[in-house]
Amino acid sequence: MDRYCYSNLRPSSLHVLRCTSPSLSLLPQSHLPSELSFSRLKKHRCTGHHGLVITSAFRSGEEDFINDFPVAPNKLFMQEAIGAEYGEGFETFRADGPLKIDVDFLNDRLQEGFLQRIRYAMKPDEAYGLIFSWDNVIADTRALKLSAWKQLAVEEGKDIPANARVQRLMLNASADHVLREVLLWDEAGKELDRLKTRLTQLYYENLLKLKRPMEGLLEWLDAVHTARIPCAVVSSLDRKNMVQALERMNLTKYFQVIITEEDGMESIAHRFLSAALKLDRKPSKCVVFEDDPRGVTAAHNCTMMAVALIGAHPAYHLEQADLTVASFNELSVINLRRLFANKGSMFMDLQKQITEKAPPRRKLTIDTIF
């Protein structure tokens, strides 16, 4: 009997393909409701291929690649949505129908079992999950993006203003906005797709030259690896180039989970939730390492802790983070325990303050003097 695997991609890019391996699932069957109905999906039979094939809106097949580089612009030069503003999550698909996964669902369903609680009582560090953003956390991608913009300017015979504001927008704003509103290279929008495609290709070409991680990262990953804390890396890169980049930096062994473009997540928060799910850790037990205020907000929307790295953004833009550091050299495993310990003490202090500020009750007395 044919077996079908369902990917957790966006409905617009969903493909259901035959798979010879056992059915894949993100959560144990006992954790999931059985009364969900099938969505209107169309099954496609694979001819001549076996195994799970995953595609996305920007990757419909081999024709979307030239020399292993995507020819269609992806999310590298887009400003992604933060996501999970009200705790909402993403939708995945199982054999018994679609399943909506949100923050509360994961915090409830990923509770530790009896044996896990005993283990975590003896080794509390293993209860945490660490989620690393790729951009400017694992690798310095600012230089890659700026180099891609400069190369594109040379090819097109254009000039880039030597302006700090322009460079900041080139790093953080979407390519559409930069090309049309900032650099004014294509105000009519006729060459927009071509320019974005070429910009993405130049970024991937520069990525091949990247061989060094951020300062102090290797030592930090060694420490958490020794403490047996599972780690994930999230990125908008495609999986093949993501894995190759990690291999060039000798970081592959440190990451048990890799979230990439093929996972089909529509926001930053959705990537974090997908990583927590694959790490088998509650979102409230995860720590996100980010360099962007938007990523810090996304982490907090997912009930995760956030450690911000100063660099791409100044420290005063990262005030919302639970911990702010200049580099990984400032971190130790004990910092993780303090993050969650401080959360508990802050909660108790808040309750104490509320109790102390409550007005005293008035006592009713009877005046016996007439």
Side-chain angles (χ1 to χ4, degrees):
M1 188 174 83
D2 290 336
R3 206 180 276 271
Y4 295 90
C5 295
Y6 296 79
S7 69
N8 60 341
L9 303 178
R10 296 182 293 274
S12 61
S13 60
L14 179 67
H15 294 265
V16 184
L17 302 164
R18 191 176 64 174
C19 178
T20 56
S21 61
S23 178
L24 301 177
S25 60
L26 297 177
L27 287 175
Q29 185 70 26
S30 59
H31 285 180
L32 305 175
S34 59
E35 63 274 15
L36 293 173
S37 59
F38 279 99
S39 64
R40 290 176 293 179
L41 302 177
K42 184 178 180 181
K43 294 181 179 179
H44 298 275
R45 297 286 296 274
C46 292
T47 57
H49 296 277
H50 297 284
L52 179 66
V53 181
I54 302 177
T55 59
S56 68
F58 296 113
R59 296 191 60 179
S60 58
E62 293 181 358
E63 67 277 10
D64 291 343
F65 282 78
I66 294 178
N67 297 329
D68 292 333
F69 299 139
V71 299
N74 55 19
K75 295 181 180 179
L76 290 174
F77 292 90
M78 295 182 183
Q79 191 173 57
E80 294 184 81
I82 294 175
E85 284 83 359
Y86 301 98
E88 69 274 11
F90 56 91
E91 191 174 70
T92 187
F93 295 88
R94 291 176 50 82
D96 55 353
L99 175 67
K100 290 185 177 181
I101 295 177
D102 57 24
V103 177
D104 292 336
F105 177 89
L106 291 180
N107 277 324
D108 178 59
R109 296 303 178 97
L110 293 178
Q111 295 284 351
E112 300 91 350
F114 176 72
L115 294 179
Q116 284 180 314
R117 287 198 296 270
I118 295 176
R119 180 177 182 84
Y120 295 159
M122 296 184 292
K123 299 181 178 181
D125 297 331
E126 294 184 18
Y128 308 132
L130 307 187
I131 301 173
F132 295 80
S133 178
W134 164 255
D135 290 324
N136 306 314
V137 176
I138 299 295
D140 184 7
T141 59
R142 288 175 297 173
L144 299 182
K145 288 185 177 182
L146 286 176
S147 178
W149 277 110
K150 291 176 181 178
Q151 289 174 269
L152 183 64
V154 171
E155 292 181 1
E156 298 295 322
K158 304 286 186 179
D159 293 325
I160 296 178
N163 186 304
R165 175 182 171 275
V166 171
Q167 290 201 354
R168 187 165 60 250
L169 289 172
M170 288 165 58
L171 289 172
N172 301 317
S174 66
D176 297 58
H177 177 73
V178 174
L179 290 170
R180 300 184 64 175
E181 305 295 336
V182 180
L183 299 177
L184 306 178
W185 288 1
D186 188 29
E187 297 182 66
K190 296 180 180 179
E191 297 289 321
L192 196 61
D193 288 341
R194 182 185 66 82
L195 291 173
K196 290 193 298 182
T197 298
R198 182 55 183 156
L199 182 65
T200 301
Q201 290 176 342
L202 289 171
Y203 177 89
Y204 276 104
E205 290 173 5
N206 293 333
L207 182 65
L208 295 176
K209 305 173 186 177
L210 184 65
K211 296 182 179 180
R212 294 181 58 186
M214 294 291 284
E215 181 185 358
L217 176 64
L218 189 58
E219 292 78 10
W220 170 242
L221 289 176
D222 272 327
V224 298
H225 184 71
T226 303
R228 301 176 63 87
I229 304 175
C231 297
V233 57
V234 299
S235 171
S236 57
L237 290 172
D238 66 282
R239 188 171 300 276
K240 180 178 180 180
N241 282 286
M242 180 79 251
V243 171
Q244 289 178 349
L246 291 175
E247 288 175 348
R248 286 194 297 271
M249 293 187 287
N250 298 317
L251 299 179
T252 309
K253 69 174 184 178
Y254 298 111
F255 296 103
Q256 291 74 40
V257 172
I258 300 176
I259 304 297
T260 57
E261 183 190 7
E262 285 85 346
D263 290 276
M265 300 293 104
E266 296 180 344
S267 67
I268 303 171
H270 289 179
R271 283 202 178 95
F272 294 160
L273 290 176
S274 179
L277 180 58
K278 294 183 179 181
L279 286 173
D280 195 26
R281 296 295 186 273
K282 297 190 299 182
S284 59
K285 283 289 188 180
C286 290
V287 181
V288 173
F289 293 83
E290 261 286 355
D291 78 307
D292 194 314
R294 295 168 58 83
V296 172
T297 301
H300 287 163
N301 288 348
C302 297
T303 69
M304 300 177 181
M305 292 293 181
V307 175
L309 270 73
I310 303 170
H313 296 270
Y316 56 83
H317 285 169
L318 303 169
E319 292 179 348
Q320 292 184 349
D322 300 286
L323 178 63
T324 305
V325 295
S327 73
F328 286 103
N329 292 326
E330 300 179 15
L331 292 173
S332 63
V333 176
I334 194 66
N335 292 130
L336 301 179
R337 301 180 191 175
R338 288 174 178 171
L339 278 177
F340 293 94
N342 288 338
K343 181 180 179 181
S345 63
M346 289 168 58
F347 175 79
M348 294 303 294
D349 290 343
L350 179 63
Q351 296 300 310
K352 184 178 179 181
Q353 291 173 7
I354 292 175
T355 303
E356 290 175 352
K357 289 182 179 180
R361 294 184 178 181
R362 297 179 60 186
K363 294 182 179 180
L364 296 178
T365 58
I366 299 176
D367 191 353
T368 57
I369 301 176
F370 294 93

